[in-house]
Amino acid sequence: MYIKTDDGASVSVSAGVDKVLLVVCRLLNVYIDYRKYNNDVLSNFSKMKKRNVRKCIEAGMQLRELQSEKEIERFHQVLSKNLRKYDTVPVHTVSEMIDLKRRLGEGVIFYGAYMGELLVAGTMVFVFEKVRCAHAQYLAADPDYAHVNAMSFIYYKMIEIYMEKGFQYLSWGTTTEHGGEEINWNLANNKEEFGSLHSVNSIFEKHINNE
């Protein structure tokens, strides 16, 4: 049986073991639900995002899967460069990214948007085949090439790829900051323009007392 306490905790008592579930925070997640998505990918986009994607295609931008350590290292450089403007760094080091790829294989895939041989944007995607869901852990563009709008191309290609794979969901991650206390409206609005929906991710802590 679960009860709600004054501090927002859900508490259950079972077989003499007290199990306390504390809601630590709630985060706003943005995702694509392919069951509610038009098969004509661009028809789900805002006018601006459609225009960005078409310009990228006309300019010859291409998507490639990043497989070598050198390619993953280059993506990490672009990601780090992008995050400097927020005075932060990637959660994963480049060594950790390479190790994840080595251990998880097709469970984690890196993609890059190229202008010729120049990587201008990329993403790291965790793939959960059993539940037909993919999650973009990072989405980043080189700020020196912001004018080419490569991120719109990355979003477009990710949606296209996992639609073709028959997935049900594609998650773009959260748009909240400071433990869910604030919504980054610019980020949320940007992701909405690709036809995305919202969900709330609740993070719990469970303390089990066996005394």
Side-chain angles (χ1 to χ4, degrees):
M1 179 181 68
Y2 288 85
I3 61 174
K4 204 74 172 180
T5 64
D6 290 340
D7 61 0
S10 296
V11 181
S12 71
V13 178
S14 176
V17 179
D18 294 339
K19 300 179 181 179
V20 181
L21 297 178
L22 300 176
V23 180
V24 178
C25 64
R26 290 186 172 91
L27 309 176
L28 186 66
N29 186 67
V30 184
Y31 69 102
I32 297 294
D33 184 342
Y34 285 112
R35 298 169 301 177
K36 302 175 182 179
Y37 210 73
N38 194 316
N39 287 335
D40 178 4
V41 175
L42 283 181
S43 69
N44 301 281
F45 289 18
S46 70
K47 290 182 179 179
M48 183 179 70
K49 299 304 183 186
K50 288 177 185 176
R51 183 168 61 249
N52 290 347
V53 171
R54 287 169 178 151
K55 285 183 177 180
C56 289
I57 294 172
E58 290 170 2
M61 189 174 292
Q62 295 183 335
L63 186 84
R64 303 179 195 171
E65 185 175 334
L66 311 179
Q67 296 180 321
S68 71
E69 292 186 5
K70 185 177 180 181
E71 289 172 330
I72 295 173
E73 182 177 358
R74 174 57 186 147
F75 165 66
H76 193 273
Q77 291 170 352
V78 169
L79 175 62
S80 299
K81 189 175 180 181
N82 177 265
L83 290 177
R84 284 192 202 114
K85 61 186 176 184
Y86 304 110
D87 195 27
T88 188
V89 296
V91 174
H92 300 87
T93 65
V94 65
S95 297
E96 289 171 337
M97 285 185 175
I98 291 170
D99 183 58
L100 280 170
K101 181 60 181 175
R102 185 181 300 115
R103 290 190 292 114
L104 299 180
E106 292 303 304
V108 59
I109 303 177
F110 295 86
Y111 297 96
Y114 281 84
M115 293 295 293
E117 293 304 311
L118 179 66
L119 177 69
V120 293
T123 183
M124 172 185 178
V125 180
F126 285 100
V127 181
F128 305 96
E129 285 280 355
K130 289 185 179 180
V131 293
R132 312 305 292 165
C133 176
H135 168 69
Q137 177 70 23
Y138 298 110
L139 292 149
D142 189 327
D144 291 340
Y145 297 91
H147 61 282
V148 302
N149 297 304
M151 284 314 307
S152 293
F153 183 75
I154 287 283
Y155 276 91
Y156 168 67
K157 296 303 290 186
M158 291 303 99
I159 294 169
E160 188 178 65
I161 285 171
Y162 290 99
M163 176 183 284
E164 291 175 354
K165 288 179 178 289
F167 275 41
Q168 290 189 12
Y169 305 104
L170 172 58
S171 167
W172 303 126
T174 60
T175 59
T176 41
E177 300 173 345
H178 309 299
E181 294 181 1
E182 297 180 16
I183 295 175
N184 183 328
W185 289 109
N186 287 335
L187 184 59
N189 292 336
N190 177 64
K191 293 180 178 182
E192 284 180 356
E193 291 192 72
F194 298 100
S196 306
L197 302 175
H198 299 93
S199 65
V200 176
N201 292 355
S202 295
I203 298 178
F204 297 89
E205 283 185 358
K206 180 168 69 172
H207 302 279
I208 300 177
N209 189 355
N210 290 313
E211 295 180 359

